[in-house]
Amino acid sequence: MKPLKELVRSNIWELKPYSSARNEYSGKDASIFLDANENPYNTPNNRYPDPLQKELKDTIANIKNVQPEQIFLGNGSDEAIDIAFRAFCKPGIDNVVAIEPTYGMYKVCADINDIAYRTVILDKDFQFKANDLLKEADENTKLIFLCSPNNPTGNNLNCQEIINLLQTFQGIVIVDEAYIDFSDQKSFLTCLHEYPNLVVLQTFSKAWGCAAIRLGMAFSNPEVIGIFNKIKYPYNINRLTQQEAIQMTHKYHEVKQWIQTLLEERTRMVKEFKKLSCCLHVYPTDANFFLTNVTDAKRIYDYLVDKGIIVRSRNNITLCKNCLRITIGTRPENDALLEALKSYR
Ligand code: PMP
């Protein structure tokens, strides 16, 4: 990896971040707060939240077996993706490399930040070779985006190829693990010490059942996390979200139970889908959804909408012609989908 100073945009490296009232005073003993122009009456949301989310980070650090200084918390992992662009990529000059197809926000954030987005199409098994991505990269390539398990294909990316990239690429490798809790592949969190250029993304939106609270996590070495913290809005994670996330961590056993049930349902759904006359193929999945190639994606999508069932059409995405992406729901929801498709003609 190049020295961090060379990778980070110089204006960001030099940036003096905004110092909020709650940044400047963070001790516990004071009882009268006249420093932040808040309303003193307890609503109970009258006080600004902890800008660095200490209690929540301590809790997550424990669960994930990392140090709190290795964690950035964002308004969804989408915030972390955008901050990575703003930290490393000079608009109009730098570029990033990503696999295709993959999660759509990498390209949207690239476009918003005026960064060229270079892609390498996955092979027929939805896998990639590190060398093919490296061939697309040049001295202005700051980030490489990987997503494992990948969205919308559902499969784990080849671990060894990810390691090859981490060892060879001189910039930052972002491994988006939004769906890792549904996969039997080991998280790259365990490799943070080995690879200073690794950023792992995870989220409370999927297995944790908290898409509404908007909480995403980026894990990296403390220097990279320090840069992310400099850029973020001072109070980017609101108090209700911090509280709710801490409550959820107390229900970790329940989350594990959901995952187990969803994995059983996934096995059943894949098996049942293969019997449907409108289903041509189900791609292997390591996530809480699967990609299926059907006889006529548009017609089936519309047919299901008519019955009040919404799936995701990926018909217009590279390598996904006539494909639908199906999220695993509750057993009754899954049954309703199967019943509807059995009567599709
Ligand atoms: N990464 C991937 C691969 C996703 O599929 C999604 C959401 N669909 C996200 C990140 C964004 O998650 P969040 O809700 O944490 O912003």
PDB file of all heavy atoms in Angstrom, residues 75-79 81 103 106 147 149-151 176 178-179 201-206 211 214-216 325, ligand 1:
ATOM      1  N   ASN A  75     -24.493   6.636   8.679  1.00  0.00           N
ATOM      2  CA  ASN A  75     -25.933   6.616   8.437  1.00  0.00           C
ATOM      3  C   ASN A  75     -26.193   5.587   7.323  1.00  0.00           C
ATOM      4  O   ASN A  75     -26.352   5.916   6.154  1.00  0.00           O
ATOM      5  CB  ASN A  75     -26.360   8.030   8.019  1.00  0.00           C
ATOM      6  CG  ASN A  75     -27.856   8.168   7.936  1.00  0.00           C
ATOM      7  OD1 ASN A  75     -28.564   7.250   7.511  1.00  0.00           O
ATOM      8  ND2 ASN A  75     -28.362   9.298   8.329  1.00  0.00           N
ATOM      9  N   GLY A  76     -26.148   4.317   7.713  1.00  0.00           N
ATOM     10  CA  GLY A  76     -26.130   3.205   6.751  1.00  0.00           C
ATOM     11  C   GLY A  76     -24.716   3.023   6.235  1.00  0.00           C
ATOM     12  O   GLY A  76     -23.876   3.935   6.374  1.00  0.00           O
ATOM     13  N   SER A  77     -24.424   1.840   5.661  1.00  0.00           N
ATOM     14  CA  SER A  77     -23.075   1.706   5.087  1.00  0.00           C
ATOM     15  C   SER A  77     -22.939   2.594   3.863  1.00  0.00           C
ATOM     16  O   SER A  77     -21.831   2.897   3.418  1.00  0.00           O
ATOM     17  CB  SER A  77     -22.693   0.258   4.783  1.00  0.00           C
ATOM     18  OG  SER A  77     -23.792  -0.544   4.562  1.00  0.00           O
ATOM     19  N   ASP A  78     -24.072   3.043   3.317  1.00  0.00           N
ATOM     20  CA  ASP A  78     -24.011   3.992   2.198  1.00  0.00           C
ATOM     21  C   ASP A  78     -23.201   5.236   2.567  1.00  0.00           C
ATOM     22  O   ASP A  78     -22.496   5.789   1.728  1.00  0.00           O
ATOM     23  CB  ASP A  78     -25.433   4.396   1.779  1.00  0.00           C
ATOM     24  CG  ASP A  78     -26.147   3.283   1.016  1.00  0.00           C
ATOM     25  OD1 ASP A  78     -25.465   2.348   0.548  1.00  0.00           O
ATOM     26  OD2 ASP A  78     -27.384   3.349   0.875  1.00  0.00           O
ATOM     27  N   GLU A  79     -23.297   5.692   3.816  1.00  0.00           N
ATOM     28  CA  GLU A  79     -22.507   6.869   4.207  1.00  0.00           C
ATOM     29  C   GLU A  79     -21.007   6.556   4.150  1.00  0.00           C
ATOM     30  O   GLU A  79     -20.208   7.386   3.707  1.00  0.00           O
ATOM     31  CB  GLU A  79     -22.883   7.382   5.611  1.00  0.00           C
ATOM     32  CG  GLU A  79     -22.115   8.664   5.953  1.00  0.00           C
ATOM     33  CD  GLU A  79     -22.336   9.223   7.354  1.00  0.00           C
ATOM     34  OE1 GLU A  79     -23.139   8.671   8.125  1.00  0.00           O
ATOM     35  OE2 GLU A  79     -21.662  10.216   7.681  1.00  0.00           O
ATOM     36  N   ILE A  81     -19.556   4.411   2.228  1.00  0.00           N
ATOM     37  CA  ILE A  81     -19.149   4.325   0.819  1.00  0.00           C
ATOM     38  C   ILE A  81     -18.874   5.736   0.288  1.00  0.00           C
ATOM     39  O   ILE A  81     -17.837   6.009  -0.315  1.00  0.00           O
ATOM     40  CB  ILE A  81     -20.258   3.633  -0.019  1.00  0.00           C
ATOM     41  CG1 ILE A  81     -20.416   2.170   0.415  1.00  0.00           C
ATOM     42  CG2 ILE A  81     -19.961   3.727  -1.520  1.00  0.00           C
ATOM     43  CD1 ILE A  81     -21.682   1.474  -0.096  1.00  0.00           C
ATOM     44  N   TYR A 103     -23.385  -4.133  -6.167  1.00  0.00           N
ATOM     45  CA  TYR A 103     -24.284  -3.181  -5.511  1.00  0.00           C
ATOM     46  C   TYR A 103     -24.202  -1.811  -6.211  1.00  0.00           C
ATOM     47  O   TYR A 103     -23.111  -1.268  -6.412  1.00  0.00           O
ATOM     48  CB  TYR A 103     -23.887  -3.073  -4.038  1.00  0.00           C
ATOM     49  CG  TYR A 103     -24.710  -2.098  -3.237  1.00  0.00           C
ATOM     50  CD1 TYR A 103     -26.104  -2.079  -3.345  1.00  0.00           C
ATOM     51  CD2 TYR A 103     -24.103  -1.206  -2.367  1.00  0.00           C
ATOM     52  CE1 TYR A 103     -26.862  -1.189  -2.605  1.00  0.00           C
ATOM     53  CE2 TYR A 103     -24.848  -0.320  -1.620  1.00  0.00           C
ATOM     54  CZ  TYR A 103     -26.221  -0.308  -1.739  1.00  0.00           C
ATOM     55  OH  TYR A 103     -26.973   0.575  -1.008  1.00  0.00           O
ATOM     56  N   TYR A 106     -22.128   1.966  -5.370  1.00  0.00           N
ATOM     57  CA  TYR A 106     -20.716   2.331  -5.610  1.00  0.00           C
ATOM     58  C   TYR A 106     -20.641   3.264  -6.827  1.00  0.00           C
ATOM     59  O   TYR A 106     -19.949   4.271  -6.809  1.00  0.00           O
ATOM     60  CB  TYR A 106     -19.824   1.103  -5.853  1.00  0.00           C
ATOM     61  CG  TYR A 106     -20.009  -0.045  -4.876  1.00  0.00           C
ATOM     62  CD1 TYR A 106     -19.953  -1.368  -5.319  1.00  0.00           C
ATOM     63  CD2 TYR A 106     -20.243   0.195  -3.531  1.00  0.00           C
ATOM     64  CE1 TYR A 106     -20.122  -2.426  -4.435  1.00  0.00           C
ATOM     65  CE2 TYR A 106     -20.418  -0.857  -2.646  1.00  0.00           C
ATOM     66  CZ  TYR A 106     -20.368  -2.164  -3.107  1.00  0.00           C
ATOM     67  OH  TYR A 106     -20.545  -3.209  -2.238  1.00  0.00           O
ATOM     68  N   CYS A 147     -17.713  -7.010  -3.154  1.00  0.00           N
ATOM     69  CA  CYS A 147     -18.900  -7.215  -2.320  1.00  0.00           C
ATOM     70  C   CYS A 147     -19.062  -8.720  -2.169  1.00  0.00           C
ATOM     71  O   CYS A 147     -19.262  -9.431  -3.155  1.00  0.00           O
ATOM     72  CB  CYS A 147     -20.092  -6.596  -3.037  1.00  0.00           C
ATOM     73  SG  CYS A 147     -21.629  -6.731  -2.130  1.00  0.00           S
ATOM     74  N   PRO A 149     -20.806 -11.766   0.513  1.00  0.00           N
ATOM     75  CA  PRO A 149     -21.515 -12.216  -0.672  1.00  0.00           C
ATOM     76  C   PRO A 149     -21.939 -11.021  -1.537  1.00  0.00           C
ATOM     77  O   PRO A 149     -22.286  -9.975  -1.014  1.00  0.00           O
ATOM     78  CB  PRO A 149     -22.734 -12.939  -0.109  1.00  0.00           C
ATOM     79  CG  PRO A 149     -22.354 -13.322   1.297  1.00  0.00           C
ATOM     80  CD  PRO A 149     -21.424 -12.266   1.766  1.00  0.00           C
ATOM     81  N   ASN A 150     -21.925 -11.259  -2.851  1.00  0.00           N
ATOM     82  CA  ASN A 150     -22.192 -10.162  -3.777  1.00  0.00           C
ATOM     83  C   ASN A 150     -23.692  -9.952  -3.971  1.00  0.00           C
ATOM     84  O   ASN A 150     -24.475 -10.890  -3.951  1.00  0.00           O
ATOM     85  CB  ASN A 150     -21.524 -10.478  -5.126  1.00  0.00           C
ATOM     86  CG  ASN A 150     -21.529  -9.302  -6.077  1.00  0.00           C
ATOM     87  OD1 ASN A 150     -21.540  -8.140  -5.660  1.00  0.00           O
ATOM     88  ND2 ASN A 150     -21.521  -9.581  -7.371  1.00  0.00           N
ATOM     89  N   ASN A 151     -24.059  -8.712  -4.150  1.00  0.00           N
ATOM     90  CA  ASN A 151     -25.428  -8.331  -4.497  1.00  0.00           C
ATOM     91  C   ASN A 151     -25.369  -7.824  -5.947  1.00  0.00           C
ATOM     92  O   ASN A 151     -24.532  -6.969  -6.224  1.00  0.00           O
ATOM     93  CB  ASN A 151     -25.872  -7.204  -3.552  1.00  0.00           C
ATOM     94  CG  ASN A 151     -27.245  -6.677  -3.869  1.00  0.00           C
ATOM     95  OD1 ASN A 151     -27.968  -7.223  -4.699  1.00  0.00           O
ATOM     96  ND2 ASN A 151     -27.624  -5.592  -3.209  1.00  0.00           N
ATOM     97  N   ASP A 176     -17.264  -5.220   0.945  1.00  0.00           N
ATOM     98  CA  ASP A 176     -18.597  -4.975   1.493  1.00  0.00           C
ATOM     99  C   ASP A 176     -19.192  -6.312   1.934  1.00  0.00           C
ATOM    100  O   ASP A 176     -19.495  -7.171   1.106  1.00  0.00           O
ATOM    101  CB  ASP A 176     -19.456  -4.294   0.419  1.00  0.00           C
ATOM    102  CG  ASP A 176     -20.820  -3.852   0.939  1.00  0.00           C
ATOM    103  OD1 ASP A 176     -21.255  -4.358   1.992  1.00  0.00           O
ATOM    104  OD2 ASP A 176     -21.441  -3.002   0.275  1.00  0.00           O
ATOM    105  N   ALA A 178     -22.123  -6.775   3.668  1.00  0.00           N
ATOM    106  CA  ALA A 178     -23.487  -6.522   4.151  1.00  0.00           C
ATOM    107  C   ALA A 178     -24.223  -7.833   4.468  1.00  0.00           C
ATOM    108  O   ALA A 178     -25.060  -7.888   5.363  1.00  0.00           O
ATOM    109  CB  ALA A 178     -24.268  -5.713   3.110  1.00  0.00           C
ATOM    110  N   TYR A 179     -23.888  -8.906   3.720  1.00  0.00           N
ATOM    111  CA  TYR A 179     -24.633 -10.180   3.855  1.00  0.00           C
ATOM    112  C   TYR A 179     -23.805 -11.288   4.509  1.00  0.00           C
ATOM    113  O   TYR A 179     -24.173 -12.448   4.438  1.00  0.00           O
ATOM    114  CB  TYR A 179     -25.126 -10.624   2.464  1.00  0.00           C
ATOM    115  CG  TYR A 179     -26.014  -9.583   1.827  1.00  0.00           C
ATOM    116  CD1 TYR A 179     -25.510  -8.693   0.886  1.00  0.00           C
ATOM    117  CD2 TYR A 179     -27.345  -9.451   2.217  1.00  0.00           C
ATOM    118  CE1 TYR A 179     -26.313  -7.707   0.334  1.00  0.00           C
ATOM    119  CE2 TYR A 179     -28.159  -8.464   1.672  1.00  0.00           C
ATOM    120  CZ  TYR A 179     -27.633  -7.597   0.729  1.00  0.00           C
ATOM    121  OH  TYR A 179     -28.430  -6.616   0.197  1.00  0.00           O
ATOM    122  N   LEU A 201     -16.948  -3.349   5.168  1.00  0.00           N
ATOM    123  CA  LEU A 201     -18.246  -2.729   5.471  1.00  0.00           C
ATOM    124  C   LEU A 201     -19.226  -3.781   5.966  1.00  0.00           C
ATOM    125  O   LEU A 201     -19.310  -4.870   5.392  1.00  0.00           O
ATOM    126  CB  LEU A 201     -18.852  -2.078   4.212  1.00  0.00           C
ATOM    127  CG  LEU A 201     -18.052  -1.006   3.514  1.00  0.00           C
ATOM    128  CD1 LEU A 201     -18.837  -0.470   2.310  1.00  0.00           C
ATOM    129  CD2 LEU A 201     -17.710   0.131   4.470  1.00  0.00           C
ATOM    130  N   GLN A 202     -19.942  -3.476   7.030  1.00  0.00           N
ATOM    131  CA  GLN A 202     -21.059  -4.311   7.479  1.00  0.00           C
ATOM    132  C   GLN A 202     -22.213  -3.379   7.847  1.00  0.00           C
ATOM    133  O   GLN A 202     -22.053  -2.155   7.819  1.00  0.00           O
ATOM    134  CB  GLN A 202     -20.646  -5.197   8.662  1.00  0.00           C
ATOM    135  CG  GLN A 202     -19.595  -6.246   8.263  1.00  0.00           C
ATOM    136  CD  GLN A 202     -19.314  -7.262   9.352  1.00  0.00           C
ATOM    137  OE1 GLN A 202     -19.956  -7.269  10.395  1.00  0.00           O
ATOM    138  NE2 GLN A 202     -18.338  -8.129   9.114  1.00  0.00           N
ATOM    139  N   THR A 203     -23.363  -3.937   8.156  1.00  0.00           N
ATOM    140  CA  THR A 203     -24.542  -3.097   8.369  1.00  0.00           C
ATOM    141  C   THR A 203     -25.515  -3.712   9.371  1.00  0.00           C
ATOM    142  O   THR A 203     -25.542  -4.935   9.543  1.00  0.00           O
ATOM    143  CB  THR A 203     -25.264  -2.856   7.027  1.00  0.00           C
ATOM    144  OG1 THR A 203     -26.434  -2.060   7.251  1.00  0.00           O
ATOM    145  CG2 THR A 203     -25.697  -4.160   6.356  1.00  0.00           C
ATOM    146  N   PHE A 204     -26.306  -2.836  10.001  1.00  0.00           N
ATOM    147  CA  PHE A 204     -27.410  -3.310  10.847  1.00  0.00           C
ATOM    148  C   PHE A 204     -28.684  -3.544  10.030  1.00  0.00           C
ATOM    149  O   PHE A 204     -29.713  -3.935  10.582  1.00  0.00           O
ATOM    150  CB  PHE A 204     -27.690  -2.290  11.967  1.00  0.00           C
ATOM    151  CG  PHE A 204     -26.887  -2.536  13.220  1.00  0.00           C
ATOM    152  CD1 PHE A 204     -25.509  -2.411  13.211  1.00  0.00           C
ATOM    153  CD2 PHE A 204     -27.503  -2.917  14.403  1.00  0.00           C
ATOM    154  CE1 PHE A 204     -24.759  -2.650  14.353  1.00  0.00           C
ATOM    155  CE2 PHE A 204     -26.767  -3.164  15.557  1.00  0.00           C
ATOM    156  CZ  PHE A 204     -25.381  -3.028  15.524  1.00  0.00           C
ATOM    157  N   SER A 205     -28.616  -3.300   8.716  1.00  0.00           N
ATOM    158  CA  SER A 205     -29.840  -3.322   7.884  1.00  0.00           C
ATOM    159  C   SER A 205     -30.301  -4.716   7.480  1.00  0.00           C
ATOM    160  O   SER A 205     -31.429  -4.857   7.032  1.00  0.00           O
ATOM    161  CB  SER A 205     -29.613  -2.519   6.605  1.00  0.00           C
ATOM    162  OG  SER A 205     -29.317  -1.188   6.885  1.00  0.00           O
ATOM    163  N   LYS A 206     -29.450  -5.721   7.567  1.00  0.00           N
ATOM    164  CA  LYS A 206     -29.798  -7.035   7.016  1.00  0.00           C
ATOM    165  C   LYS A 206     -30.077  -8.025   8.159  1.00  0.00           C
ATOM    166  O   LYS A 206     -31.161  -8.035   8.697  1.00  0.00           O
ATOM    167  CB  LYS A 206     -28.686  -7.513   6.077  1.00  0.00           C
ATOM    168  CG  LYS A 206     -28.260  -6.485   5.026  1.00  0.00           C
ATOM    169  CD  LYS A 206     -29.388  -6.142   4.082  1.00  0.00           C
ATOM    170  CE  LYS A 206     -28.981  -5.014   3.136  1.00  0.00           C
ATOM    171  NZ  LYS A 206     -30.061  -4.586   2.276  1.00  0.00           N
ATOM    172  N   ALA A 211     -32.991  -2.097   9.374  1.00  0.00           N
ATOM    173  CA  ALA A 211     -32.798  -1.221   8.208  1.00  0.00           C
ATOM    174  C   ALA A 211     -33.324   0.196   8.492  1.00  0.00           C
ATOM    175  O   ALA A 211     -32.786   1.177   7.981  1.00  0.00           O
ATOM    176  CB  ALA A 211     -33.491  -1.811   6.979  1.00  0.00           C
ATOM    177  N   ARG A 214     -30.931   3.004  10.207  1.00  0.00           N
ATOM    178  CA  ARG A 214     -29.805   3.484   9.398  1.00  0.00           C
ATOM    179  C   ARG A 214     -28.498   3.457  10.197  1.00  0.00           C
ATOM    180  O   ARG A 214     -28.063   4.467  10.756  1.00  0.00           O
ATOM    181  CB  ARG A 214     -30.053   4.911   8.853  1.00  0.00           C
ATOM    182  CG  ARG A 214     -31.370   5.128   8.156  1.00  0.00           C
ATOM    183  CD  ARG A 214     -31.578   4.145   7.005  1.00  0.00           C
ATOM    184  NE  ARG A 214     -30.554   4.237   5.987  1.00  0.00           N
ATOM    185  CZ  ARG A 214     -29.867   3.181   5.535  1.00  0.00           C
ATOM    186  NH1 ARG A 214     -30.090   1.962   5.998  1.00  0.00           N
ATOM    187  NH2 ARG A 214     -28.967   3.334   4.601  1.00  0.00           N
ATOM    188  N   LEU A 215     -27.909   2.299  10.254  1.00  0.00           N
ATOM    189  CA  LEU A 215     -26.615   2.181  10.925  1.00  0.00           C
ATOM    190  C   LEU A 215     -25.716   1.228  10.150  1.00  0.00           C
ATOM    191  O   LEU A 215     -26.013   0.045  10.018  1.00  0.00           O
ATOM    192  CB  LEU A 215     -26.791   1.686  12.369  1.00  0.00           C
ATOM    193  CG  LEU A 215     -25.486   1.673  13.182  1.00  0.00           C
ATOM    194  CD1 LEU A 215     -24.954   3.093  13.406  1.00  0.00           C
ATOM    195  CD2 LEU A 215     -25.673   0.984  14.523  1.00  0.00           C
ATOM    196  N   GLY A 216     -24.646   1.785   9.627  1.00  0.00           N
ATOM    197  CA  GLY A 216     -23.662   0.990   8.903  1.00  0.00           C
ATOM    198  C   GLY A 216     -22.323   1.089   9.597  1.00  0.00           C
ATOM    199  O   GLY A 216     -22.065   2.039  10.349  1.00  0.00           O
ATOM    200  N   ARG A 325     -34.402 -11.093  -8.364  1.00  0.00           N
ATOM    201  CA  ARG A 325     -33.722 -11.303  -7.084  1.00  0.00           C
ATOM    202  C   ARG A 325     -34.792 -11.410  -6.006  1.00  0.00           C
ATOM    203  O   ARG A 325     -35.614 -10.514  -5.850  1.00  0.00           O
ATOM    204  CB  ARG A 325     -32.785 -10.126  -6.788  1.00  0.00           C
ATOM    205  CG  ARG A 325     -31.798 -10.404  -5.656  1.00  0.00           C
ATOM    206  CD  ARG A 325     -31.118  -9.141  -5.196  1.00  0.00           C
ATOM    207  NE  ARG A 325     -32.069  -8.269  -4.520  1.00  0.00           N
ATOM    208  CZ  ARG A 325     -31.820  -7.004  -4.169  1.00  0.00           C
ATOM    209  NH1 ARG A 325     -30.657  -6.447  -4.448  1.00  0.00           N
ATOM    210  NH2 ARG A 325     -32.739  -6.279  -3.549  1.00  0.00           N
TER     211      ARG A 325
HETATM  212  N1  PMP B   1     -23.978  -2.947   0.664  1.00  0.00           N
HETATM  213  C1  PMP B   1     -24.740  -3.823   0.023  1.00  0.00           C
HETATM  214  C2  PMP B   1     -24.086  -4.934  -0.700  1.00  0.00           C
HETATM  215  C3  PMP B   1     -26.129  -3.710   0.019  1.00  0.00           C
HETATM  216  O1  PMP B   1     -26.869  -4.608  -0.652  1.00  0.00           O
HETATM  217  C4  PMP B   1     -26.719  -2.642   0.717  1.00  0.00           C
HETATM  218  C5  PMP B   1     -28.214  -2.415   0.777  1.00  0.00           C
HETATM  219  N2  PMP B   1     -28.988  -3.009  -0.133  1.00  0.00           N
HETATM  220  C6  PMP B   1     -25.887  -1.741   1.362  1.00  0.00           C
HETATM  221  C7  PMP B   1     -24.527  -1.921   1.335  1.00  0.00           C
HETATM  222  C8  PMP B   1     -26.422  -0.534   2.084  1.00  0.00           C
HETATM  223  O2  PMP B   1     -26.782  -0.856   3.332  1.00  0.00           O
HETATM  224  P1  PMP B   1     -27.185   0.237   4.419  1.00  0.00           P
HETATM  225  O3  PMP B   1     -28.632   0.007   4.678  1.00  0.00           O
HETATM  226  O4  PMP B   1     -26.305  -0.086   5.582  1.00  0.00           O
HETATM  227  O5  PMP B   1     -26.895   1.603   3.849  1.00  0.00           O
END
